[in-house]
Amino acid sequence: MSEILTPEKFKYFGKNVKIHEYTKIIYPERVEIGDGSQLDDFVLINGGQGIVIGRMNHIASFVSIIGGGLFTTGDYAGIAAGARIITGTHHYGDGMRISPLIPEAEQCVIRGYVRLEQDVFVGSNAIIFPNVTIGEGAIIGAGALVNKDITAWTINVGTPSRVVGIRPRIKTNPY
């Protein structure tokens, strides 16, 4: 049975936040969620070293934010269905094993920081690797693989992702 997520379980829980019934958050005490944000059913978040979700963010069904590292978003970010935000992973290192089931001294674990700046949109089934910043207003297309920083206000697609256009800057501020 899933644990019921109530506001007091979080590091910070803003006003008018909506978390659907079938959302799973591991270590909610490490998670901050800004005003007006929404997490749909079947979202999986591992609080890792810390998660900060800005105001008015939407995280759609089947999104995973995993890996045990850090993750932050600016305000007005959107993450579409099935996207994967990976804040940590294993590496073969110098002859290291790749299994979370053995002592950490025998593993080469990479924990990183993923940042989505304000007004970023991540398309369905996109994958974002650790240690990546997606600049303000950038769009990541469906199915893209992001393994390096993304320039603000660009449109990016492909595997690995590449710039294919420029997004117009936001003209209004609802606050």
Side-chain angles (χ1 to χ4, degrees):
M1 178 179 229
S2 242
E3 177 183 9
I4 296 175
L5 296 169
T6 56
E8 59 275 359
K9 295 189 183 213
F10 290 83
K11 184 173 183 179
Y12 175 79
F13 196 88
K15 297 176 184 156
N16 301 314
V17 169
K18 183 168 186 176
I19 298 180
H20 286 255
E21 179 181 0
Y22 297 111
T23 297
K24 174 71 174 174
I25 300 179
I26 302 164
Y27 306 121
E29 67 276 9
R30 301 176 189 169
V31 176
E32 301 177 45
I33 303 176
D35 296 347
S37 289
Q38 177 176 314
L39 283 62
D40 290 349
D41 279 327
F42 310 111
V43 168
L44 171 62
I45 295 175
N46 179 332
Q49 295 173 342
I51 304 283
V52 178
I53 297 169
R55 296 179 305 149
M56 305 300 288
N57 276 226
H58 177 238
I59 301 178
S61 295
F62 303 105
V63 167
S64 297
I65 303 170
I66 58 173
L70 294 164
F71 174 71
T72 64
T73 71
D75 298 338
Y76 320 112
I79 305 173
R84 304 287 183 248
I85 311 293
I86 303 169
T87 64
T89 189
H90 284 82
H91 190 273
Y92 59 85
D94 187 23
M96 304 301 277
R97 290 200 163 90
I98 304 173
S99 172
L101 304 177
I102 60 176
E104 196 157 324
E106 296 180 37
Q107 304 175 45
C108 181
V109 178
I110 299 168
R111 296 234 197 289
Y113 175 43
V114 175
R115 173 160 175 73
L116 309 184
E117 293 184 348
Q118 183 169 304
D119 290 304
V120 164
F121 178 78
V122 177
S124 291
N125 297 316
I127 300 171
I128 301 173
F129 281 3
N131 298 315
V132 166
T133 295
I134 299 180
E136 181 178 357
I139 294 174
I140 306 301
L145 184 136
V146 181
N147 60 1
K148 64 183 190 288
D149 291 349
I150 300 294
T151 304
W153 301 103
T154 57
I155 300 168
N156 303 266
V157 300
T159 304
S161 64
R162 68 192 180 289
V163 176
V164 295
I166 303 296
R167 176 184 180 188
R169 291 183 182 269
I170 303 295
K171 294 179 182 176
T172 63
N173 185 350
Y175 287 99

